[in-house]
Amino acid sequence: MTVATAAAGTNIALVKYWGKRDETLNLPATGSLSLTLDRLGTRTRVAFDGGARGHDRVTLDGAPADAKVAQRVSAFLDRVRARAGISTRASVVTDNSVPTASGLASSASGFAALALAATRAAGLELSPTQLSELARLGSGSAARSIFGGFVEMERGARADGADAVAHALDAAGAPIWEVRLVVAITAAGAKAIGSTAAMQQTARTSPFYPAWVAGVDGDLTAARAAVAGRDLAALGAVAERSALRMHASALAAEPGILYWNPATVAAIARVRALREGPAPIAAFFTIDAGPHVKVLCAAADADRVAAALAGVPGVLRTLIAAPGPGARLVETTETAA
Ligand code: DP6
């Protein structure tokens, strides 16, 4: 029996993914563009060892996973089992480098690490592109965490999803663009409505949703060029407008979806003030399906940005993340079954 352990970093989208063209295969309505981080990741160990009492056994951050998480992991493992031609239940032990309940632990690093660990434990060796397609079935954003650094996810056109995969934007071995994402945590506890349900509700009911979809291709073109040209101001401008338009489309859903709290708004104001102050700092915000604010800046400015955000009323703590590698195998061991 093979026991495989994999690690993956989460990623933060600078051009957001918000809505699907196919809910069963998790095919995105648009492409997206992200940065994979060195922190806020997941480490997952998988063994097809029979699980417990005929079920997969899923341990999350040291405790049995709740029914919803366990079910999502099992459904994912079913796809891996089908591909490998096995039916054995598995044991999955997964640990996030941030508490799951903080609202920062993500399905992106979780399903990227699970895709790699589970396929290896099942005796499969998939290419990064194949892993990206598989991870997408667990969570759309997970397709991006297979790759490191700046990553673009393709919308794809095929009905089977084979072309709805991610790829790294920088060539292998290219010098890393030393940007940072400063995360300002503005609330404890899990978010009110998960991204899967929220994007569905937006797509079905928001009059602004078609406008959101129509704008993404232009944002992708601009973001791609900004990454290639290492143009922080251009990338930051795209990131802010993509986040604001995503949230605008969600706000206009029925019922409206509002992820922000007062500290979210205060942090946005602080970032704008940093840019416009007497000693301007190039800092640009983005916000996901939660109240936290993530701020893109140059590595040299990260400490100052973090200090400024830490002083915003309602910001509980800050952390600085750097570009990180794609999903990787940490260890495989062979044991007697
Ligand atoms: C706001 O990837 O969590 O973070 O595919 O339903 O699992 P599912 O959704 P998920 O959505 C991520 C939404 C986002 C933007 C992004 O990461 O692109």
Side-chain angles (χ1 to χ4, degrees):
M1 183 180 67
T2 306
V3 184
T5 305
T10 193
N11 69 77
I12 301 299
L14 301 172
V15 176
K16 301 295 186 195
Y17 147 55
W18 195 248
K20 305 181 193 204
R21 63 183 169 91
D22 181 307
E23 285 171 11
T24 319
L25 289 179
N26 237 3
L27 302 178
T30 67
S32 55
L33 190 148
S34 60
L35 179 63
T36 300
L37 303 182
D38 63 340
R39 297 182 65 176
L40 310 178
T42 304
R43 179 178 286 240
T44 298
R45 191 180 77 220
V46 178
F48 288 92
D49 59 358
R53 289 186 299 277
H55 295 283
D56 294 314
R57 176 181 19 209
V58 183
T59 306
L60 176 60
D61 293 328
D66 68 39
K68 218 171 135 198
V69 171
Q71 155 58 27
R72 206 168 159 189
V73 169
S74 269
F76 187 83
L77 292 173
D78 284 343
R79 295 184 185 273
V80 175
R81 279 187 281 258
R83 197 162 177 147
I86 59 173
S87 57
T88 323
R89 302 289 111 183
S91 293
V92 176
V93 179
T94 186
D95 289 292
N96 288 306
S97 59
V98 289
T100 310
S102 73
L104 276 174
S106 82
S107 56
S109 54
F111 280 102
L114 183 62
L116 181 53
T119 50
R120 291 303 180 99
L124 298 169
E125 207 154 316
L126 270 53
S127 71
T129 303
Q130 289 172 317
L131 281 171
S132 180
E133 184 186 353
L134 176 65
R136 188 204 71 229
L137 294 163
S139 182
S141 53
R144 299 187 308 239
S145 273
I146 296 297
F147 299 94
F150 288 94
V151 174
E152 182 171 351
M153 171 79 190
E154 301 286 341
R155 174 193 188 274
R158 292 172 54 129
D160 68 1
D163 54 354
V165 293
H167 63 272
L169 283 178
D170 288 331
I176 290 172
W177 185 13
E178 290 293 350
V179 297
R180 294 292 180 267
L181 270 174
V182 181
V183 181
I185 296 162
T186 65
K191 55 195 168 200
I193 169 171
S195 40
T196 307
M199 66 174 75
Q200 203 169 73
Q201 192 168 311
T202 304
R204 289 194 184 141
T205 66
S206 174
F208 298 171
Y209 183 69
W212 154 257
V213 171
V216 176
D217 273 349
D219 287 347
L220 283 171
T221 305
R224 219 180 279 132
V227 170
R230 303 310 201 216
D231 185 340
L232 185 62
L235 184 61
V238 181
E240 288 197 357
R241 75 170 178 256
S242 178
L244 289 172
R245 288 174 186 179
M246 175 200 119
H247 285 271
S249 73
L251 277 167
E254 184 67 48
I257 298 160
L258 172 60
Y259 282 112
W260 303 1
N261 64 28
T264 314
V265 178
I268 291 174
R270 193 77 186 87
V271 170
R272 287 185 165 160
L274 284 177
R275 275 208 309 269
E276 287 151 16
I281 301 178
F284 306 88
F285 64 83
T286 184
I287 304 161
D288 291 299
H292 314 300
V293 178
K294 293 126 189 184
V295 182
L296 179 71
C297 63
D301 292 329
D303 286 337
R304 274 200 300 162
V305 170
L309 289 168
V312 171
V315 169
L316 305 177
R317 77 186 172 100
T318 60
L319 58 92
I320 299 172
R328 58 228 171 258
L329 205 60
V330 176
E331 190 181 32
T332 52
T333 51
E334 299 296 332
T335 63

